[in-house]
């Protein structure tokens, strides 16, 4: 409460112009915040020797720039998730990548692909674990002890909207007899 001996001050009463100015200032801060955000993280795991790759160990293939078998039309394919590890026991790491079209709206389905190093060291696609036609979205992707682990979101029927997957499935693949074998899933569960 204001003391009666002190005259009214202009800033003690909120007028519409004050609310407009406040809203404009907040909108300006929100609009400029992406420009002031820090860049992507550049840290990388280093071996005990202080180098990026342990001696005698090859780096996994890079998934960026690979021509994945996706029909994206005017937009590009985006590597959403990736994991690396030796999947076939040959001592060289492979890369597993979840890739989808960079659609401006909706939830584009992911394809999950395995890459190895081809002749000359260039990445080469060797297997498709999840085809985008299956309408699945990958929320977790890892390689542990030569096994590919993933959590896939999907749909119980064609009538479920693409925005709202209603099933979640934990799956795994292991290399055996020259192919990737999908392990018994823990069973699809509702989201």
């Amino acid at each position: 409460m204001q003391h009666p001996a002190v005259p009214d001050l202009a800033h003690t009463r909120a007028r519409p112009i004050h609310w407009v100015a406040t809203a404009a200032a907040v909108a300006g801060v929100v609009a400029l915040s992406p420009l002031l955000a820090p860049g992507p993280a550049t840290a990388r795991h280093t071996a005990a020797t202080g180098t990026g790759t342990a001696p005698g160990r090859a780096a996994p293939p890079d998934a960026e720039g690979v021509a994945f078998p996706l029909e994206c039309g005017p937009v590009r394919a985006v590597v959403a998730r990736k994991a690396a590890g030796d999947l076939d026991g040959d001592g060289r790491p492979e890369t597993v990548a979840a890739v989808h079209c960079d659609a401006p709206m909706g939830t584009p389905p992911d394809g999950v692909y395995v890459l190895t190093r081809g002749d000359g060291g260039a990445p080469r696609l060797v297997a498709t674990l999840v085809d985008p036609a299956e309408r699945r979205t990958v929320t977790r992707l890892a390689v542990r002890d030569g096994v590919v682990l993933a959590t896939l979101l999907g749909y119980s029927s064609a009538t479920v909207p693409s925005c709202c997957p209603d099933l979640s499935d934990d799956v795994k693949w292991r290399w055996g007899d020259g192919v990737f074998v999908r392990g018994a899933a823990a069973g699809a569960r509702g989201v």
Side-chain angles (χ1 to χ4, degrees):
M1 182 164 147
Q2 190 168 346
H3 191 275
V6 179
D8 285 338
L9 300 175
H11 68 275
T12 60
R13 281 183 251 122
R15 295 195 172 121
I17 191 67
H18 293 118
W19 293 110
V20 170
T22 301
V26 169
V29 168
V30 170
L32 292 176
S33 65
L35 299 175
L36 302 174
T42 58
R44 62 181 181 161
H45 176 71
T46 57
T49 62
T51 62
T53 306
R57 304 242 4 207
D62 187 8
E64 299 300 327
V66 173
F68 292 99
L70 290 170
E71 296 295 328
C72 291
V75 298
R76 63 186 180 89
V78 175
V79 176
R81 299 181 190 290
K82 61 184 175 180
D86 184 7
L87 300 176
D88 58 3
D90 67 354
R92 294 178 297 189
E94 286 77 30
T95 298
V96 181
V99 184
H100 62 251
C101 296
D102 192 15
M105 296 181 348
T107 307
D110 288 315
V112 178
Y113 306 100
V114 178
L115 304 171
T116 190
R117 289 216 178 269
D119 296 335
R124 182 173 59 98
L125 191 137
V126 293
T128 299
L129 302 180
V130 176
D131 190 301
E134 295 177 39
R135 293 183 60 214
R136 302 294 218 134
T137 302
V138 178
T139 60
R140 180 181 64 98
L141 185 64
V143 173
R144 288 197 193 101
D145 299 324
V147 176
V148 178
L149 305 167
T151 300
L152 306 175
L153 299 182
Y155 308 92
S156 59
S157 72
T159 61
V160 177
S162 294
C163 69
C164 312
D166 61 343
L167 295 178
S168 176
D169 198 10
D170 292 325
V171 296
K172 61 184 177 180
W173 293 268
R174 180 180 298 277
W175 180 256
D177 296 327
V179 296
F180 283 97
V181 179
R182 185 171 172 167
R189 58 189 184 280
V191 175

